[in-house]
Amino acid sequence: MKVIRFIVLIAVLIALLLAMNVFWLNLANVNLAHALALPTDSPQRAAWLAEAATQLQQADANYPRVALARARLELARGEPARAAEILRATGTTLQNDVIAQWVWAEAEWQSANASAAFEHWRNAGAFIFFMNETNRARLNHRWQDAERLARIALGIQPDDAQAQYALGDVLGYLDDARAMVELDRAAELTRDPELLATILSRKGELLAARGEFSAALALFEQAMQIAPRDARPRTDAARVLLATQPGARDRAMALLNESLAVAPWYIAAYLTLAEVAEADRDFQAAENWYAKGLAQNRNHSDLLFARAKFYARQNRLAQAQADLILALQNETRADEIAKIKREWEALNAQ
């Protein structure tokens, strides 16, 4: 009977210790959450972190979730090496814990241990997250952020063709020589014809920007053969032909119409057709192309901005202002917002 009572007492004590661990851990996590929601230079943040540190001292440091909280605390304090050390001491205990693996990856990354960071992000299944963040940064023209995120995605999955293409595409806005290297690597990796056509189109665009028009056209032709329903290489080829080969105008116009036949939403084709019509002094046709593009892409900022500048050149200032206001309302990219604002200032200075 005494043995049974002793066992029960031990069980109760263990349960109480575990309960206290959970109590202090929960308090610390609440304070960590409050701290992390504040700017790094906030005095209140420092106070929350100090409170969390005090609470974690009351908990058992050998308890895995306590170790994780301590690591998060050190990361928040700007001590990633210390955070990584705490997590390494847990061995394989947290290997299958997604949150722990993510925190561990951040600690290793901030400690300049890239390979270890990639391993832990891989364990956390973070590849899709970083690809989504890369694409979000690309969409908003945050090229340096996009490059960093794409490199992390590639570190997690080094042979992923989409991530490799994303890196090459981003570098095209930063360093076209490095972009070509990464795009060539993406072409080697992919087995997807549509992605290969996109890669070839992007390479062609970079070559055209350098003035290497023959090489660019060859890539656009190759992309068209690989992906017959891809509007991008057709529109790219048309733009190069219009700029460099006046005798190929009919071919260029046919390519632009083919682009819209396979992809009636393709903005670049509408913009090019409007530019051609304006150059021909067929202003009504130019306006119609902008209207058709906007009918397919309602309130698209690129089309609105281009039409606003067209109206300004036509001295139709009220219409230009109206389009600039709409473009600004629908634009999210900081660099494009700056361009629209400059155009607005120039328009109002007239």
Side-chain angles (χ1 to χ4, degrees):
M1 196 68 177
K2 290 182 179 180
V3 173
I4 294 174
R5 288 177 180 173
F6 179 75
I7 293 172
V8 170
L9 178 61
I10 293 298
V12 170
L13 288 173
I14 291 172
L16 286 172
L17 287 173
L18 288 174
M20 290 304 296
N21 259 337
V22 171
F23 172 76
W24 291 115
L25 178 59
N26 286 342
L27 284 180
N29 280 330
V30 168
N31 286 324
L32 277 170
H34 287 317
L36 292 172
L38 297 173
T40 55
D41 58 351
S42 168
Q44 185 58 54
R45 176 188 171 102
W48 287 122
L49 291 177
E51 189 71 19
T54 299
Q55 289 153 352
L56 287 172
Q57 286 174 356
Q58 310 301 315
D60 183 354
N62 295 317
Y63 189 51
R65 305 304 294 180
V66 173
L68 174 57
R70 289 174 58 221
R72 292 178 62 219
L73 174 65
E74 295 299 338
L75 263 182
R77 286 173 163 173
E79 297 289 343
R82 177 62 184 146
E85 181 183 343
I86 290 169
L87 289 168
R88 289 190 204 110
T90 66
T92 60
T93 307
L94 297 171
Q95 185 172 355
N96 297 320
D97 187 309
V98 171
I99 295 174
Q101 289 296 307
W102 192 283
V103 172
W104 200 334
E106 287 287 348
E108 297 288 7
W109 181 257
Q110 292 181 31
S111 301
N113 298 325
S115 60
F118 296 146
E119 178 185 352
H120 292 296
W121 270 317
R122 197 174 298 122
N123 291 341
F127 175 75
I128 293 175
F129 168 82
F130 280 107
M131 280 301 297
N132 288 341
E133 289 299 299
T134 297
N135 292 330
R136 188 173 289 110
R138 288 165 68 198
L139 183 64
N140 286 292
H141 292 187
R142 294 186 287 109
W143 307 123
Q144 286 82 7
D145 287 344
E147 180 188 359
R148 175 180 58 82
L149 291 162
R151 289 192 183 280
I152 293 175
L154 265 179
I156 297 169
Q157 290 193 23
D159 294 329
D160 188 87
Q162 287 282 0
Q164 188 69 54
Y165 168 70
L167 177 59
D169 176 54
V170 167
L171 286 174
Y173 299 97
L174 301 171
D175 183 336
D176 67 342
R178 286 194 298 148
M180 282 296 198
V181 173
E182 303 297 348
L183 290 169
D184 284 340
R185 170 68 174 152
E188 292 171 1
L189 287 172
T190 190
R191 298 295 179 267
D192 179 355
E194 290 187 4
L195 179 57
L196 180 57
T198 299
I199 294 166
L200 294 173
S201 295
R202 187 68 177 109
K203 288 180 64 179
E205 290 162 4
L206 294 175
L207 290 173
R210 295 180 188 174
E212 299 177 31
F213 300 116
S214 295
L217 283 170
L219 288 174
F220 297 144
E221 290 289 350
Q222 187 180 350
M224 282 187 268
Q225 292 173 11
I226 294 169
R229 298 187 63 79
D230 191 342
R232 182 174 183 173
R234 283 170 168 71
T235 303
D236 285 339
R239 292 185 69 87
V240 170
L241 290 172
L242 288 166
T244 64
Q245 299 182 29
R249 177 189 171 98
D250 288 346
R251 167 69 172 151
M253 297 304 287
L255 286 170
L256 289 169
N257 284 303
E258 286 175 18
S259 294
L260 292 181
V262 298
W265 45 264
Y266 196 63
I267 290 166
Y270 289 108
L271 292 171
T272 304
L273 285 163
E275 291 168 8
V276 171
E278 185 178 2
D280 290 344
R281 302 192 65 77
D282 189 345
F283 303 124
Q284 185 59 58
E287 188 171 4
N288 289 344
W289 281 120
Y290 287 124
K292 288 178 181 178
L294 285 164
Q296 291 288 335
N297 304 272
R298 191 167 183 265
N299 289 337
H300 196 286
S301 58
D302 288 346
L303 285 163
L304 288 166
F305 186 35
R307 190 172 69 173
K309 290 186 286 185
F310 165 74
Y311 282 145
R313 290 189 292 272
Q314 297 299 306
N315 204 34
R316 295 161 66 177
L317 302 186
Q319 289 167 294
Q321 288 173 331
D323 272 358
L324 286 177
I325 291 170
L326 269 179
L328 197 58
Q329 290 172 348
N330 288 279
E331 185 58 79
T332 60
R333 300 164 293 184
D335 56 344
E336 297 300 323
I337 288 172
K339 290 178 186 177
I340 295 169
K341 287 182 176 178
R342 286 196 296 270
E343 186 69 21
W344 176 266
E345 291 170 0
L347 195 65
N348 288 325
Q350 292 184 22

